[in-house]
Amino acid sequence: MSQDDIAPWFWEVIERCKPSLATLSEWLESAKREDVENFQRFYLDAATCVAEAWNGPVVDGIEFSEDSTEDFTAWVVSQGRSVWQQAVDSSANQEALVREYWRVSEGEPSAYVAWSTEGVRGEYAGYLAPEAIAHAVYERRFGEDLLDVLAG
């Protein structure tokens, strides 16, 4: 997977919707089935370009767990192409970006955005993150599990 494989329209959707998860879910609700599938593929691929889940950043001498790495890389993608590109280009030293991720996660002031869940459909509870919402929308719209479709 190369960073060049991620379609420019994916980044346009992220930028247009950020920081409103409701706006992203509305886009997913109106997008073609193939576009919803590709959105999720691109999201996962972009996150993997930042770091493989089992090979995450090291901060203060502590290696990130697989789950923490997945959360961090998903957050990086949710910040948009410029932040993502910065993380990909400086993958050997992501410590400063990790610290900003922690700040946002704790609700502290940051130059980076925390996605708002205000106005998101109640049936999407449990999927209230930019990297997850497509799963709930896909199941509601098409009656299938997006993970199964992407794995197939």
Side-chain angles (χ1 to χ4, degrees):
M1 145 70 3
S2 161
Q3 58 183 304
D4 296 330
D5 296 332
I6 299 162
W9 68 259
F10 169 79
W11 295 114
E12 292 168 8
V13 170
I14 293 289
E15 291 298 334
R16 190 173 357 152
C17 297
K18 182 176 72 173
S20 170
L21 201 55
T23 302
L24 178 57
S25 66
E26 289 167 6
W27 181 86
L28 291 163
E29 289 165 353
S30 65
K32 294 184 287 187
R33 181 182 185 127
E34 179 181 337
D35 289 342
V36 176
E37 293 168 5
N38 284 328
F39 175 86
Q40 192 62 29
R41 276 189 193 99
F42 292 140
Y43 207 110
L44 295 172
D45 290 347
T48 301
C49 286
V50 175
E52 298 283 348
W54 58 88
N55 192 23
V58 177
V59 178
D60 297 332
I62 301 169
E63 292 183 33
F64 266 42
S65 69
E66 185 175 330
D67 287 342
S68 293
T69 299
E70 288 176 349
D71 292 345
F72 169 67
T73 59
W75 175 82
V76 168
V77 174
S78 79
Q79 297 303 299
R81 187 176 193 154
S82 64
V83 174
W84 171 80
Q85 192 69 61
Q86 173 190 352
V88 170
D89 291 347
S90 64
S91 62
N93 185 11
Q94 296 175 344
E95 189 169 334
L97 199 51
V98 167
R99 293 188 189 288
E100 287 301 319
Y101 160 67
W102 286 339
R103 290 172 60 86
V104 171
S105 297
E106 295 296 320
E108 296 177 18
S110 174
Y112 299 93
V113 300
W115 282 66
S116 167
T117 59
E118 187 175 326
V120 177
R121 290 173 174 256
E123 66 235 61
Y124 297 160
Y127 296 91
L128 298 179
E131 70 275 11
I133 193 84
H135 294 278
V137 172
Y138 195 87
E139 186 170 337
R140 185 183 72 74
R141 287 186 64 197
F142 306 113
E144 293 182 63
D145 186 307
L146 183 55
L147 278 177
D148 291 343
V149 171
L150 295 178

